[in-house]
Amino acid sequence: MSAGRNADSPQHRALLRNLLPGLMRGLLPGVARDLTRKIDNFLQAHWRGLTISVPFLWLLVFFLVPFFIVLKISLAESLIASPPFSPLTEWAEDGALRVRLLFDNFAYLWEDKLYVETYLNSLKISGISTAFCLLIGYPIAYGIVRAASPAKHILLLLIILPFWTSFLLRVYAWMGILADQGTINNILIWAGLIERPVRLLYSEFAVYVGIVYSYLPFMILPLYASMEKLDMTLNEAASDLGAHPAVTFLTVTLPLTVPGIIAGSLLVFIPATGEFVIPDLLGGGNVLMIGKVLYGEFNANRDWPVAAAVAIALLVVLVAPMMLYQHFQSGESSRGAGKGA
Amino acid sequence: MPPAAGPAGGTGAQYADRPWLDPDAAPFIRIQGVSKRFGAFTAVGSVDLDIYRGELFSLLGGSGCGKTTLLRMLAGFEIPSGGSITIDGADMTDVPAYRRPVNMMFQSYALFPHMNVESNVAYGLKRDGVAKAEIAKRVGDILEMVELRQFGKRKPHQLSGGQRQRVALARALVKQPKVLLLDEPLGALDKRLREQTQFELMKIQDQLGITFIVVTHDQEEAMTLSTRIAVMDAGNIIQVGEPSEVYERPKTRKIANFIGTINTFEGNIAAGGKGGWHLACPRVREPLRAPKDADIKDGQKALLAIRPEKITMSKSKPGDDKLQSLRGEVLELAYMGNLSIYRVRVDGGQVVQVTAPNLQRIDRNKIDWEDRVYLSWRPENSLILRD
Amino acid sequence: MKKRSTFLFSALCFGMAFLYIPMVLLVVYSFNHSRLVPVWGGFSLRWYKSLFTSEEIWNSLLLSLQIAVVNATFATLLGTFAGLTIARFGRFRGRTLFTGMLSAPLVMPEVITGLSLLLLFITLNELLGWPSSRGMTTITIAHITFSLAYVAVIVQSRLSGMAQDLEEAAQDLGGKPLRVMFDITLPLLAPGMLAGWLLAFTLSLDDLVIASFVSGPGANTLPMLIYSRVRLGLRPDINALATIIIFTVAVGVALAGWLLLRQRKQRERDMRMASA
C-alpha cells in the first residue's frame, strides 16, 4: 500500500464521508425494506393461520389437556404424598391395574350414599332456583322491554350493574341480612312478630335466596334479548283477532320467547349446580352441594383422585345441559348470521 | 262504478252504489271529533268522518299525516284522546281491540312465525270458540279463495312476499269482520304484483261485501281501489271525495300536488273581456283566463292550476279562440313509453309540464327539444285553487 | 296497554328492590360503629380506617389488580383472534373443536375449571419443571383461559352485527386482506374490544374459586382474602371494602353512561345538521 492510497488520507476520508452515507442511504433501507417485505409477505400469507392457531393452542393446552388430566387422575390411586396421587407415568406398565383403579374412585362415589345424595341435592337446589329465577325474571325482563326508551336503558344498566361488582360481596351481603342478628330477624323482632331469631342463615333457604339473587341477571338478560326481538305488532295482531291479553301472552309471547327461556335457564342451572361459594357461605355445614364437596375433597381431605372423580361425575351430569346450551347458541348465531346476509 | 244519479235529490234506491250522496243514509262507521295526542305531539287533530257499508275507503297522505294513527284507533290499538267512534251503531271508542268486530291486515303482515299458515288463519276463529269442524271448513274455504290451499302446512318464512300478503288477508277476513282495516296492504309488494293484487282486493271486497278501510301513501293505489278517498295532512282530513272528484276538483294546492301533478300559476285576478276573469301572472306574458265557475274577486291573489294531460301541444297555432293558448319552447322531454312528458318554458319564464300520449309508433311531426310550440287548454279544465 | 302494565311495573320495582336492597344494606352497615354488623351502634368510619391500615388488604388488592390488567390485555388479544376466527374465517379443520373449547368455559362450573388447571400445572411441573411455584403466573393463565371466551363472544357478536360489505368495499378498492383487517375491521371492532377488556378485567377481579385452586401459598388475591375473612362470619371491615367497590363501579358506570349519552346526543345533533 502506498502512502497515496493510505486509507487515512484526507481524500479517502472525504470520499468515505461522502460515499458512506450514500451507501447507507442506498443499501440499508434496501435491507430494511427487504426485511419488512419478507415479514409482510409472511403475514399476508399466514396471518389467518396465526390468528387461528394462537387462541387454538392456548385453549388446547389450558382447557382441553387439563380436562384429560382430570380424567386420568380420577383413575389414579390416592397417596399420602406430594402430589397426593399415584404417578401418572407408572400406569402404562400394568393394564389391569388401570381398569381396577377406574372402578375404585367411581365405585367409591357410587357406594357412598353421601355423594349420590349430594349430587341429587345439587340438582334439586339448582333446578328449583332456576324455576324461581324464571318466575321472577320473566316479568322483569318483559317490563324492561315494554319500558319507554330512556327508562329502558337505565333499567337494563341496573340489571347489568351487579355483574361489575363483586359476586362474593353480594353473597356476603345476604349473610348480614339472614344472620340470627341480621336485618330480617331484627325487623321481625322489632315488629313483635317473633321473640327469638329464626334460623335463616346456614340453611337450604339461604342457599336458594343466594342462588336466585346471584343468578337472576343471567336469567333476565337472555330473556330480554329474546323479547327485544319480538315484533310487538304480533301482539296487536293477536289482539285484533280476538285474543284477550292473557291469551295473547300464552299463544304468542311465551312460545316466541322459548329460546330466551332455555338459554336463561341453562345459564342459571349449569353454574348453580357446581356452585361453591353460595352453599359454603350461606349454607354452612347444613347444605350439601357437589361443588362444595369437590372443594373439600381437594382442599381439606387432599384426596385429589376422588376430587377429580367428583369433577368428572359432575361433568357427566352437566354435559347434556351444556351441549344443549351450545346447540342453542350456535343455532342463534347462525340464524343471526342468516339474517345479516 | 256504474253511472249513478247526480247529486240532485232522489230516493235511497238511486244511491245504491253511492250512499254518501244520500243525505238520509245512515253511515256504517261514524268518526266524530276524534283526536289523538302523544304527549305534546298531536297525531290526529279532530277528525269527523262517515263511512258507509260496503265502501272501499282510502285514507291517503304522506308519512306522519296521522292516517295510521286513525286506523289504529279504529282497530282499538290506540284510545282516542277525544271524540267517539261508532261502528254499526255500537260505540267502540273504549272497546279493546280484541272485542271489536274489526280486523286488520298489518303492513308487516304480522304473521305468527311459530305457526303454519292454517294455524295463523285459524287463530282468530279459535279465540271466538268456533267449533273445530267449522274452523277447518272456514279456513279451507278462505285459503281456497286466496289460492293458498296447498300451502296450509308451511310456516310464514317459507312463503313469498305475495303469499304472505294473502295469508294476512285470509287471516283477517276469515272472521268475517264488519270492517277490514288494511295498513299499506300493497306496500311491500313489487310493482307488477301490486297492480295484480289491487284488482284481487277489489274482487274479494266485492264478493264479501265487507267494508274496507285502506291506509296508503300511494295516490295511484288509492285512485284505483277506492270508492272514496280522504286526504289527510298534519293530523286532519283536508278533503273527502270520490277519486275523480279529488283529482279533478282538489281543494288546495297541496292536495292537487299530492294527487298527480299539476301546473300552477300565481298572480292577481283582473277583469277580462266578456265579463270573465283573468289572472295576471308575472311569469307568463299573456293573461290567463280563469274558469267561469270560479269564486273570485277583482284584484285578489289567486292560483290557477291545470293538469299536464289537459294541455294540448302543437307546432301550429290552434284555431279555436275559446282556448287558452301560450307560446313556449321545449326544454326537456322524457319518453315514458305510453306517453311522453314535456317541460316547456312559456314566454315570460314559467316552466309548464305537459303530458301527451304517444299515439303513433313513428311520428313524423314529432316535437323535439328546443322546438317552439303552442300550449292550449280549455279554460273550464283549469282550476282556481286555495293555497 | 298502559293499564295492564301495573303488574309489570310492580315486578320491576320488586326486581330492583331485590337486587339493590342487599347492596344498600352492605353500604349502610359499613358506617356502623358496632362490631356486630347488622346491629346499629352509631355512625363511624372506624372500619374504613382499619381497612386502609391493613397491609394484607393492600397487598392482595395490588396482586389482584396486576393479575386483572395482564389477564384483560392477553384475554382481549386472544379473544379478538378467536372471535375473528369464528365470525370471519369460515370453515377450517378443527372448527367444531375450536368453537366447543371456546364456549365450554362459559358454562363450565368453576370448580372443574379450577381443579383441572391445578392438575395441569402440577403435571407440567412434574414433566418440565415449570411452574415450580404457583401464584400470580398460574392465576393469570387460568384467568386468561376463561376470560378469552367471554371476549370472543363479545367480539364475535359485534362482528356478526357488522356488515361485511365494508370489508368487501375495502378489498374492492385494492386493500389486501391483512391491510383491510387493520384499516377497517379492527377500528370498527375497537369498542367491542374495550368492552371485552373491561369484562375480562372485572371477571378476574371477581374470581375466587379458580384462583383458590391454582394459587400457591402466599399468593392471596383480594377475593381470596375476603373469603377467608367472611367465611367465619360477618366482618365490618369487609362492608367498608364492599362500599368502596360499589361506589367505584357506580362512578365508573355513571361516567361511561354519561359519555355514551353525550356521544349519542352529539350524533343526533350531527344528523339534524346533516339533514337540515
Side-chain angles (χ1 to χ4, degrees), chain B residues 10 21 62 104 115 134 182 191 197 244 327 333 338 362 375:
Chain B
L21 298 176
M104 176 143 156
M115 300 179 193
E134 162 102 17
L182 302 99
K191 195 168 160 36
T197 315
S244 58
R327 286 216 72 181
L333 69 86
N338 56 342
I362 299 153
L375 304 182

Side-chain angles (χ1 to χ4, degrees), chain A residues 237-248 250-252, chain B residues 98 112 115 119-130 135 175:
Chain A
S239 174
D240 182 64
L241 294 166
H244 186 271
V247 178
T248 302
L250 289 175
T251 55
V252 178
Chain B
Y98 54 91
F112 304 123
M115 300 179 193
S119 316
N120 261 288
V121 176
Y123 188 88
L125 296 175
K126 277 190 201 150
R127 301 288 82 80
D128 287 356
V130 178
I135 291 180
K175 291 192 72 177

Side-chain angles (χ1 to χ4, degrees), chain A residues 230-256, chain B residues 72 75 77 97-100 102-104 106 108 110-115 120 123-125 127-128 171-172 175:
Chain A
L230 266 188
D231 182 359
M232 281 302 163
T233 55
L234 293 180
N235 285 16
E236 288 184 349
S239 174
D240 182 64
L241 294 166
H244 186 271
V247 178
T248 302
F249 176 78
L250 289 175
T251 55
V252 178
T253 313
L254 199 59
L256 287 173
Chain B
R72 290 171 59 81
F77 301 136
Y98 54 91
R99 291 216 192 90
R100 290 192 189 200
V102 166
N103 286 126
M104 176 143 156
F106 289 79
S108 62
L111 299 179
F112 304 123
H114 56 304
M115 300 179 193
N120 261 288
Y123 188 88
L125 296 175
R127 301 288 82 80
D128 287 356
R171 187 178 71 175
K175 291 192 72 177

Side-chain angles (χ1 to χ4, degrees), chain A residues 122 126 130 167 211 215 218 263-279 289-291 314 318 321-322, chain C residues 105-111 150:
Chain A
S122 301
S126 64
T130 305
F167 172 78
I211 293 179
Y215 287 96
F218 288 93
S265 300
L266 292 174
L267 271 181
V268 174
F269 181 79
I270 298 167
T273 308
E275 184 54 55
F276 159 69
V277 174
I278 296 171
M289 279 187 81
I290 205 67
L314 174 58
L318 290 181
M322 280 165 75
Chain C
L106 299 177
V107 283
M108 188 67 83
E110 289 170 316
V111 280
Y150 285 88

Side-chain angles (χ1 to χ4, degrees), chain C residues 6 9-10 28 59 99 118-119 125 144 152 166 168 179 187 223 243 262:
Chain C
T6 347
F9 182 73
S10 32
V28 169
N59 285 341
T99 49
L118 168 69
L119 295 177
N125 187 24
I144 292 171
L166 291 176
E168 283 164 0
R179 188 80 254 157
T243 304
R262 213 176 59 156

Side-chain angles (χ1 to χ4, degrees), chain B residues 35 111 137 236 239 252 259 267 287 294 328-329 341 376:
Chain B
S35 63
L111 299 179
K137 188 184 169 298
N236 289 302
Q239 186 167 6
T252 66
I259 298 177
E329 182 189 303
I341 298 174
S376 57

Side-chain angles (χ1 to χ4, degrees), chain B residues 303-322:
Chain B
L303 209 59
L304 186 133
I306 178 87
R307 297 267 183 204
E309 74 278 6
K310 296 200 165 54
I311 304 176
T312 314
M313 191 166 52
S314 56
K315 284 187 177 171
S316 55
K317 191 173 162 65
D320 192 346
D321 67 348
K322 284 203 189 97

Side-chain angles (χ1 to χ4, degrees), chain B residues 265-271 277-290 299-304 384:
Chain B
F265 302 90
E266 276 186 77
N268 292 310
I269 297 293
W277 296 103
H278 274 163
L279 180 92
C281 172
R283 302 187 63 205
V284 182
R285 197 175 291 161
E286 293 111 294
L288 298 164
R289 278 179 246 171
Q300 176 195 351
K301 273 195 137 180
L303 209 59
L304 186 133
I384 295 292

